[in-house]
Amino acid sequence: MKNFKKSVGFTLAALGAAVLLAVGGQKAQAATTLTVGASPVPHAQILEHVKPQLKKEGINLVVKKFTDYVMPNRALTAKELDANYFQHVPFLNDYNKKNNTDIVSAGTVHIEPIGIYSKQVKKLSQVKTGSTVLVSNNKPDYGRILTILKDAKLITLKKGVKITSATFNDIAKNPKKLKFKYSYEPKLMPELLKNNEGTLIAINANYAVGADLNPTKDAIALEKSSSPYANIIAVRKGDQNKPAIKKLMKALTSKSTQNWIKEKYNGAVLPVK
């Protein structure tokens, strides 16, 4: 009888230890926190959407919002963030070059087609000679805007120019004598449209959506979905293979998330294919 009691005691103790280990393991898994910096719209919204999915994977996702295009990379380099989500590769390459940093892409998630908006004309073909085109100071976007204008036959570009590095100095012909102004912060572009301060105003989709504009309805011209400017999850070099980052990318590029993006933004944000 004593041996039986001892056996039962040992069994219960073993079971208790197993339970404690299991609970401890779950706590350890839940303690994996991933802090990601993002633009409020749509990046932070998309991250919030995948939070429950990541929680099941043992990842506690913390989203920090940024309203500019400079601080998220600075915070990432300073190790205040594990990743950020707001930029495309041409922007990242330009940032790395200017700041001697080595931030890298962990993968693409979606495309935000940049749009041309106007309160003065309904079509690019209606643009009059000498019209003003307002563009942000975000140089990596210049090629995107030039492509839209080129496709509308408002300008031509010099031969051999790469779209991802093109600037307004690469315009070969400008028959309408369009005047380009590009000294504005990207987040201010919707306000310039509201105040009717230019004939054509280029606005990034995230700022357009944030200002209650619908790019597919309100823009008079929209970047094509075949654009090479897909938005990425950016990390410090070497972190792209970390398990938590891999789980984040899996959640963001899952079929369910991509379908949600399509439905949520009605074409203003396009999931990668």
Side-chain angles (χ1 to χ4, degrees), residues 81-92:
L81 302 172
D82 298 303
N84 67 40
Y85 178 31
F86 77 99
Q87 63 193 320
H88 48 62
V89 169
F91 180 93
L92 175 60

Side-chain angles (χ1 to χ4, degrees), residues 74-252:
R74 288 182 180 175
L76 180 60
T77 303
K79 297 185 178 181
E80 296 169 7
L81 302 172
D82 298 303
N84 67 40
Y85 178 31
F86 77 99
Q87 63 193 320
H88 48 62
V89 169
F91 180 93
L92 175 60
N93 289 342
D94 185 66
Y95 182 88
N96 279 333
K97 183 178 180 180
K98 289 180 178 177
N99 296 277
N100 194 30
T101 49
D102 55 359
I103 300 171
V104 300
S105 169
T108 57
V109 182
H110 75 268
I111 297 168
E112 294 174 30
I114 200 166
I116 303 293
Y117 297 76
S118 179
K119 284 194 172 185
Q120 299 178 27
V121 297
K122 294 183 178 180
K123 299 177 182 178
L124 287 180
S125 59
Q126 297 174 344
V127 172
K128 296 179 181 179
T129 300
S131 292
T132 303
V133 183
L134 305 186
V135 179
S136 81
N137 58 12
N138 187 30
K139 187 176 178 180
D141 280 340
Y142 293 171
R144 310 170 74 180
I145 297 158
L146 289 169
T147 297
I148 295 174
L149 298 177
K150 176 178 70 69
D151 290 346
K153 303 187 185 308
L154 291 179
I155 62 166
T156 60
L157 296 175
K158 297 175 183 176
K159 289 183 178 180
V161 172
K162 290 184 179 180
I163 243 1
T164 54
S165 59
T167 71
F168 297 102
N169 292 326
D170 293 312
I171 295 175
K173 293 181 180 180
N174 182 9
K176 291 282 188 179
K177 294 181 172 56
L178 299 177
K179 300 173 183 177
F180 295 92
K181 295 184 179 181
Y182 37 89
S183 60
Y184 312 96
E185 288 293 323
K187 62 184 178 182
L188 298 179
M189 303 312 290
E191 190 67 21
L192 297 178
L193 174 67
K194 181 180 178 181
N195 296 333
N196 195 21
E197 295 190 27
T199 305
L200 304 179
I201 301 175
I203 306 178
N204 291 84
N206 60 316
Y207 290 120
V209 173
D212 294 324
L213 293 168
N214 184 328
T216 57
K217 294 181 179 179
D218 298 325
I220 64 170
L222 202 61
E223 183 180 21
K224 296 177 180 178
S225 60
S226 57
S227 167
Y229 291 84
N231 279 220
I232 62 171
I233 292 293
V235 297
R236 291 181 295 277
K237 188 175 182 180
D239 287 355
Q240 62 268 37
N241 294 317
K242 285 187 173 182
I245 297 297
K246 291 285 189 182
K247 289 179 180 179
L248 173 62
M249 287 307 307
K250 183 179 179 181
L252 289 171

Side-chain angles (χ1 to χ4, degrees), residues 259-273:
N259 286 337
W260 180 84
I261 290 173
K262 288 180 183 177
E263 294 175 6
K264 170 76 173 176
Y265 299 104
N266 297 313
V269 180
L270 304 172
V272 292
K273 297 179 179 179

Side-chain angles (χ1 to χ4, degrees), residues 31-48:
T32 303
T33 297
L34 190 67
T35 305
V36 182
S39 297
V41 180
H43 308 79
Q45 293 175 337
I46 296 172
L47 289 172
E48 291 291 342

